[in-house]
Amino acid sequence: MSNAQSQPHGSRFAAFMLLLIPTAIFLLVFVAPIGSMISLSLENTALGTRFVGFNATDPDDPDARAAAILADLGVLDQKQLGEVSRMLNQEKSGFRSLILNTGKKADTIEPTMAGLAAFDARWGEPEYWDIISKNAGAITWRHYQKASGLKYDAEGNLRIAEGDDIYMRVMGRTLMITLQVTLITLLVGYPLAFAVANGTRRTASIVLNIVMISFWTSVLVRTTAWVVLLQTHGLINNSLIWLGVLSEPIQLIFNRFGALVAMTHVLLPFAILPMINVMRTIPKSQSDASRSLGAGPIETFLRVYFPQSLRGVAVGGGTVFILSLGFYITPALTGGPNDQMLAFFIADFVNRTLNWGMAAALSVLLLATVVVLMCLGKLMQRLTAKRERTL
Amino acid sequence: MKYTAITATCIATLAMASAAYARDFTIAAWGGNYQDAQRAAYFTDFAASKGLKLVETTYLGGLAELKTMSDTGDVIWDLIMMGGSDAQLACDEGLLEEINWDTLPHADELIPAARKDCSVGSVIIGNGMGYNTEAFPEPPNSWADFFDLEKFPGKRGIRNAPAMNLERALIADGVPLDKVYEVLSTPEGVDRAFAKLDTIKSEMQFWDAGSQPVEWLLAGNVALSTGYNGRFISAKKDGKPLEYVWNEHIYNIDVWAVPKDSPFKAEAMEFFAIANDAAAQAKFSALMPYGPTNSKAPDLIAPEAAANLPAGANNANALSFSDEFWIENNDALTERWANWVIQ
């Protein structure tokens, strides 16, 4: 302590170091994974480095191409051959057996086009050759093409093929669900936050405790609880039938309704807590002043209280929006086939089809959407701030 | 004094970390009753006979874990129970140890379909339809019934994957069992299967874990569901009102495999002395209603237990799942399936 006082520069250096280390750690754990994700979505070493001879030959000399591809495949070990065949099979069915068989027998096949076609008739079809030459580059855009649905047509122009834009549509659906969840969360959360910030001590502590208990409970537990509550013979349906409201159970789960209810519940605390914080900073005296100047309670709320609480709404809504964009397990357990969000497909590519490039490309798509939306939000904020200043 | 304590803690942590590195023999299997039965029939005897300490974990399909182990060089599993087609894919990519069939115990007693380059078939599984016996006065008995929303109204539980579901759609559409893969190999056959699936699309609900069909049928969340015969029959044995339809069901083989470069490779190969043994397989089938791959095991199974297995009379009108077809076509058909689901 005394040391720091006598040497002000030393303390500044210490403070600098104190900031530098967390910044470095942050960069490492935050930027590094994003960087590796982006490189994974473009990376093509599995194919790009395995067709060196083939890439170097003249595309108009079929026999040279045949000899080159046999030489390229012949030097691969089983693991590399398996990898090449898996990646090409993602482009066209049948590539797996074609590459595996050819690679294993490479040294016995006559290195001409006729020899290859005699070994397997598929080598006689130009489509297979086109796919190899299109995908043998050092980096690849094919994952992004698939993610966007863009394809080269017969004339070589990029266009969205009918029915191939599935991930774009899933992205649209993801945004739609996210918007719905954000709106519902804010509508439900605002009165609760208001009660905590302005209610009596007792009300505030009861509401806050309920919110916090649900906040501290595992997402999986809360989601499963909703499955139990909402299912066909679950608590809600049975109660409604017992009360005579319904004559037979209605479908509350495995559809958009179930997904929205569960997601809203999971995300509610993230909207309420920032709103409480902001609402608590709004001086009560302002509302009192407004009332004493003749405004009614509704006008006071709308013109004095509500505009000041909007900052909390923006923070809470933004948090919920960003969090729900990446939701996976909750809609998977409570939604139907048409309520699955983009994260579901990312997990599927990672775990089931082992297409990590595609998973990375879809993750980049999700990340880019968040960045664009955040920029739009900032822009809106700046525009409204400017307008307020000119008013 | 304080520093000594911190240093001691650090050293202790490091020591524990390195102790964990010299790990125990680890088995990854499908979990639940299935793994319980495998423990009773194979794992306990294996651990005792070799003096090994076993660690068990759960595997949920796919190649992600195997690929990570291979990429990082940190092989954390020594024995894994997987689906036949996944095992073949993993074998092609060099993720599994090759099996030396000349020295493998009981090799000649196994059925031919169990003998693959990198895997040893162990369990025959029925993939059929289950229903709640209290739901319908006249029970469903075919895939045509499964696709009949008028006779059997309600949601249909199916797995979110084209494999087996395209076959079922074709069978429901009148394709004979021995022609299913022939038809499915043509573009028209695939169109036909998807057209049939269109008719129940509005009522589909996807299950992921093998336990979900049982839970959903009991809770009334779905009217009919595809699923594994073992899950439905185990629930039935527990007194639940469930039944499994043997007619037109699809059977496939689950296999044991050894991840490439496992430090316990030698021990893992010795595991087959127990896992391939007819008596041990019969014990397993008595606990879990899946079929044995040892051709001598059926003689050792009591008739009442045999009645629950995907074997013999139960497979009289059944389809044998084609790993070969799906290894080749899974990528393209999965893409089309995902596309179809979203539309």
Side-chain angles (χ1 to χ4, degrees), chain A residues 181-194:
Chain A
V181 169
T182 310
L183 275 178
I184 301 171
T185 320
L186 289 177
L187 284 176
V188 177
Y190 194 90
L192 289 173
F194 187 87

Side-chain angles (χ1 to χ4, degrees), chain A residues 172-347:
Chain A
R173 174 203 292 171
T174 305
L175 281 174
M176 191 63 203
I177 294 178
T178 301
L179 266 178
Q180 289 169 329
V181 169
T182 310
L183 275 178
I184 301 171
T185 320
L186 289 177
L187 284 176
V188 177
Y190 194 90
L192 289 173
F194 187 87
V196 174
N198 298 293
T200 60
R201 263 187 108 85
R202 209 179 133 75
T203 328
S205 97
I206 291 173
V207 175
L208 195 61
N209 274 317
I210 291 175
V211 171
M212 291 318 286
I213 287 170
S214 106
F215 186 55
W216 288 327
T217 313
S218 142
V219 176
L220 211 56
V221 171
R222 282 187 280 167
T223 305
T224 323
W226 278 112
V227 175
V228 174
L229 284 174
L230 294 175
Q231 62 190 2
T232 313
H233 296 293
L235 202 62
I236 292 179
N237 261 321
N238 282 355
S239 311
L240 288 175
I241 290 169
W242 186 74
L243 289 169
V245 181
L246 295 175
S247 58
E248 57 182 65
I250 49 169
Q251 191 72 36
L252 297 171
I253 199 166
F254 305 147
N255 53 22
R256 185 62 60 87
F257 177 82
L260 288 181
V261 168
M263 281 178 76
T264 302
H265 178 220
V266 169
L267 289 166
L268 208 47
F270 294 98
I272 294 180
L273 295 177
M275 286 199 280
I276 294 175
N277 273 338
V278 170
M279 284 175 178
R280 275 185 174 153
T281 64
I282 303 173
K284 214 166 163 30
S285 51
Q286 287 187 359
S287 297
D288 294 343
S290 160
R291 294 297 298 275
S292 72
L293 288 169
I298 295 172
E299 196 183 0
T300 301
F301 174 78
L302 287 179
R303 292 186 58 189
V304 177
Y305 194 90
F306 184 67
Q308 298 196 72
S309 69
L310 275 179
R311 206 155 42 86
V313 173
V315 174
T319 313
V320 169
F321 189 88
I322 302 285
L323 283 177
S324 72
L325 262 184
F327 253 49
Y328 158 52
I329 195 74
T330 305
L333 288 175
T334 57
N338 285 319
D339 310 308
Q340 299 313 318
M341 299 167 72
L342 198 64
F344 176 89
F345 294 86
I346 296 176

Side-chain angles (χ1 to χ4, degrees), chain A residues 79 86 97 163 166 232 352, chain B residues 70 93 160 205 221 328 339:
Chain A
K79 192 175 166 188
R86 163 164 54 81
S97 59
I166 55 170
T232 313
R352 278 227 306 236
Chain B
S70 162
E93 303 224 2
N160 186 6
Q205 179 57 35
N221 290 340
E328 193 84 337
N339 224 323

Side-chain angles (χ1 to χ4, degrees), chain B residues 20-106:
Chain B
Y21 195 73
R23 56 179 185 77
D24 292 312
F25 190 98
T26 306
I27 301 177
W30 296 107
N33 297 349
Y34 191 176
Q35 197 160 332
D36 293 343
Q38 285 169 333
R39 188 177 311 115
Y42 313 128
F43 301 166
T44 315
D45 284 353
F46 173 59
S49 67
K50 295 281 162 245
L52 284 171
K53 192 173 171 298
L54 294 189
V55 177
E56 285 182 45
T57 182
T58 318
Y59 160 77
L60 286 173
L63 303 187
E65 293 97 338
L66 282 172
K67 179 143 194 299
T68 310
M69 283 185 231
S70 162
D71 286 351
T72 60
D74 185 11
V75 182
I76 53 167
W77 293 348
D78 307 298
L79 192 64
I80 169 173
M81 160 117 304
M82 52 200 311
S85 53
D86 271 351
Q88 188 57 52
L89 289 174
C91 186
D92 289 341
E93 303 224 2
L95 301 174
L96 299 175
E97 291 286 350
E98 285 188 22
I99 304 288
N100 184 350
W101 283 99
D102 297 333
T103 60
L104 199 82
H106 308 289

Side-chain angles (χ1 to χ4, degrees), chain B residues 292-342:
Chain B
T293 52
N294 185 311
S295 54
K296 292 183 178 161
D299 303 337
L300 307 172
I301 299 171
E304 61 271 20
N308 288 327
L309 303 180
N314 285 335
N315 280 355
N317 193 36
L319 178 71
S320 168
F321 182 72
S322 170
D323 288 328
E324 291 74 23
F325 176 85
W326 283 103
I327 286 168
E328 193 84 337
N329 294 289
N330 196 39
D331 289 312
L333 289 178
T334 300
E335 206 173 299
R336 171 140 184 204
W337 173 270
N339 224 323
W340 172 78
V341 167
I342 287 161

Side-chain angles (χ1 to χ4, degrees), chain A residues 53-257:
Chain A
F54 174 79
N55 282 340
T57 49
D58 176 10
D60 296 324
D61 183 355
D63 282 345
R65 284 183 118 195
I69 210 160
L70 276 171
D72 285 339
L73 291 177
V75 298
L76 300 182
D77 65 24
Q78 195 195 15
K79 192 175 166 188
Q80 295 164 333
L81 212 52
E83 200 172 30
V84 168
S85 69
R86 163 164 54 81
M87 296 203 153
L88 288 173
N89 207 56
Q90 284 161 4
E91 303 305 305
K92 181 167 174 59
S93 280
F95 249 123
R96 172 174 287 278
S97 59
L98 183 62
I99 294 288
L100 284 176
N101 294 343
T102 311
K104 278 176 197 159
K105 302 259 165 66
D107 44 351
T108 64
I109 301 168
E110 190 199 325
T112 60
M113 199 56 157
L116 263 184
F119 174 72
D120 194 314
R122 282 175 286 188
W123 284 119
E125 294 172 31
E127 196 188 352
Y128 288 91
W129 294 93
D130 286 349
I131 290 173
I132 294 178
S133 52
K134 233 178 244 165
N135 291 298
I139 64 163
T140 179
W141 293 99
R142 67 173 183 276
H143 302 308
Y144 286 101
Q145 277 175 23
K146 225 168 227 172
S148 60
L150 286 169
K151 263 190 184 164
Y152 287 101
D153 62 9
E155 289 101 55
N157 302 315
L158 265 184
R159 62 184 48 180
I160 292 183
E162 188 68 38
D164 274 345
D165 54 342
I166 55 170
Y167 300 109
M168 282 296 151
R169 273 181 287 149
V170 172
M171 190 67 233
R173 174 203 292 171
T174 305
L175 281 174
M176 191 63 203
I177 294 178
T178 301
L179 266 178
Q180 289 169 329
V181 169
T182 310
L183 275 178
I184 301 171
T185 320
L186 289 177
L187 284 176
V188 177
Y190 194 90
L192 289 173
F194 187 87
V196 174
N198 298 293
T200 60
R201 263 187 108 85
R202 209 179 133 75
T203 328
S205 97
I206 291 173
V207 175
L208 195 61
N209 274 317
I210 291 175
V211 171
M212 291 318 286
I213 287 170
S214 106
F215 186 55
W216 288 327
T217 313
S218 142
V219 176
L220 211 56
V221 171
R222 282 187 280 167
T223 305
T224 323
W226 278 112
V227 175
V228 174
L229 284 174
L230 294 175
Q231 62 190 2
T232 313
H233 296 293
L235 202 62
I236 292 179
N237 261 321
N238 282 355
S239 311
L240 288 175
I241 290 169
W242 186 74
L243 289 169
V245 181
L246 295 175
S247 58
E248 57 182 65
I250 49 169
Q251 191 72 36
L252 297 171
I253 199 166
F254 305 147
N255 53 22
R256 185 62 60 87
F257 177 82

